[in-house]
Amino acid sequence: MEKEYRELFDGVRASGRLRMEVMNMKREEIKRVRRIPRAALIAAALVLALAGTAVAYLSRVTVAPYGDGYSVHAEAGNVPLASLSEVVLQRAANADSRADALPFQSWDDAEAYLGLEIADNARLEQMEKGLWGIDLDEGQGPVVAPCITDLRYSNGLPDTITLTASYVEGDYSVKEEAVLMVEDPGFDANRAYNFANPMAELHSTEAYVTPSGVEAVIITSRVVFREDFVRMEYTAQFVLHQASFSVRISVDEGKSGGGALTLLKEILDSYE
């Protein structure tokens, strides 16, 4: 979980100014997101709480300031090995690297490959597909597709599975991500999901509960890629079934943030 990966696209159309801006970013700007050990996250949250800094806490998700940005700790439980498809188990057993990035045309296609039913969302299905890309530095080169499955391996078994899908609606780019921690036969407790985004300037957090009872923390942050390229991000962090979810809407600063927040809540309300 501590391995960094580079984000090549930010859920955008296959053409247009924003795609070119993202492609032209310097490496240090792109590698701005990393996952952190649970102990470091808890320690940071505890220090901030003692200092009087607000920490957003729900029953299974904790969001706390981290640097200029924020950290997330989520308790989703672990996916049983037996629930994964045979093709995924064989791929892990035969893997000659620590990770694979597999392209798919849709979230449903990725679920079918994994042998899992993770979540459905009718609102996202109404949107135009975007592009998402990652480079795992495993000799594969960049992988770009509307949906990507990032498989991490340990001792010949799947360790962590991340599904990322990109959508576009009007001025908004939308990224949906689900992280599944696979059970570890040598570990007698569930592993938790820990994530940190220290470079996104944290503005606010909001607890939000959907009509179906999904509890989410909505994070508003500002990301400065360079002086003339600033984005506002509205990110919902939540647990659904056995996945740690995030849904992020990104928009140029100065455009309708209220519309982005409304759209984000429409998406949350559509999860089954």
Side-chain angles (χ1 to χ4, degrees):
M1 294 295 288
E2 297 174 3
K3 179 177 176 62
E4 299 179 356
Y5 60 86
R6 295 196 299 275
E7 299 179 0
L8 302 180
F9 295 84
D10 190 15
V12 296
R13 291 187 175 90
S15 61
R17 181 186 64 82
L18 182 56
R19 177 186 173 189
M20 297 307 299
E21 294 283 7
V22 175
M23 287 293 289
N24 291 330
M25 290 176 197
K26 290 183 291 187
R27 193 177 201 179
E28 291 76 14
E29 294 173 320
I30 296 173
K31 294 175 68 174
R32 65 182 178 82
V33 176
R34 64 188 182 93
R35 291 178 178 138
I36 60 174
R38 178 180 180 179
L41 183 146
I42 293 174
L46 188 57
V47 168
L48 289 161
L50 293 173
T53 303
V55 176
Y57 172 80
L58 294 175
S59 60
R60 301 171 74 184
V61 178
T62 302
V63 175
Y66 186 85
D68 291 331
Y70 60 89
S71 62
V72 177
H73 174 80
E75 302 277 357
N78 292 173
V79 175
L81 279 168
S83 67
L84 297 173
S85 68
E86 185 62 28
V87 67
V88 172
L89 296 176
Q90 284 297 321
R91 191 178 192 94
N94 300 330
D96 56 6
S97 63
R98 293 176 297 174
D100 277 326
L102 308 178
F104 295 93
Q105 289 304 303
S106 72
W107 186 275
D108 287 344
D109 289 346
E111 286 185 330
Y113 180 85
L114 296 171
L116 299 174
E117 293 183 6
I118 301 170
D120 293 320
N121 192 295
R123 185 67 180 86
L124 288 173
E125 291 174 1
Q126 297 172 0
M127 296 182 183
E128 176 186 350
K129 292 178 182 177
L131 284 178
W132 181 253
I134 63 175
D135 185 351
L136 294 173
D137 281 335
E138 296 284 346
Q140 301 177 19
V143 176
V144 180
C147 181
I148 293 177
T149 297
D150 178 352
L151 297 172
R152 303 295 171 114
Y153 310 121
S154 178
N155 300 319
L157 294 171
D159 179 77
T160 307
I161 301 172
T162 304
L163 272 71
T164 306
S166 176
Y167 307 89
V168 177
E169 182 162 295
D171 292 329
Y172 305 125
S173 61
V174 180
K175 186 190 87 166
E176 178 188 30
E177 181 178 274
V179 180
L180 301 104
M181 311 291 289
V182 181
E183 68 176 353
D184 183 347
F187 192 61
D188 60 1
N190 282 335
R191 298 176 297 136
Y193 168 74
N194 297 304
F195 170 85
N197 189 350
M199 300 304 293
E201 300 172 8
L202 177 62
H203 280 207
S204 65
T205 60
E206 174 191 351
Y208 182 76
V209 181
T210 72
S212 64
V214 175
E215 297 181 342
V217 177
I218 296 177
I219 304 158
T220 301
S221 59
R222 179 175 182 265
V223 183
V224 180
F225 294 103
R226 61 172 186 258
E227 185 176 348
D228 62 341
F229 186 26
V230 181
R231 303 280 284 175
M232 293 301 298
E233 294 184 348
Y234 304 85
T235 306
Q237 298 283 163
F238 56 100
V239 168
L240 185 60
H241 305 140
Q242 290 178 308
S244 300
F245 266 87
S246 70
V247 177
R248 185 184 74 196
I249 297 182
S250 179
V251 62
D252 287 335
E253 186 178 47
K255 293 190 175 178
S256 176
L261 190 57
T262 297
L263 177 58
L264 180 57
K265 291 180 178 180
E266 288 179 4
I267 294 169
L268 291 175
D269 289 349
S270 297
Y271 273 102
E272 300 178 5

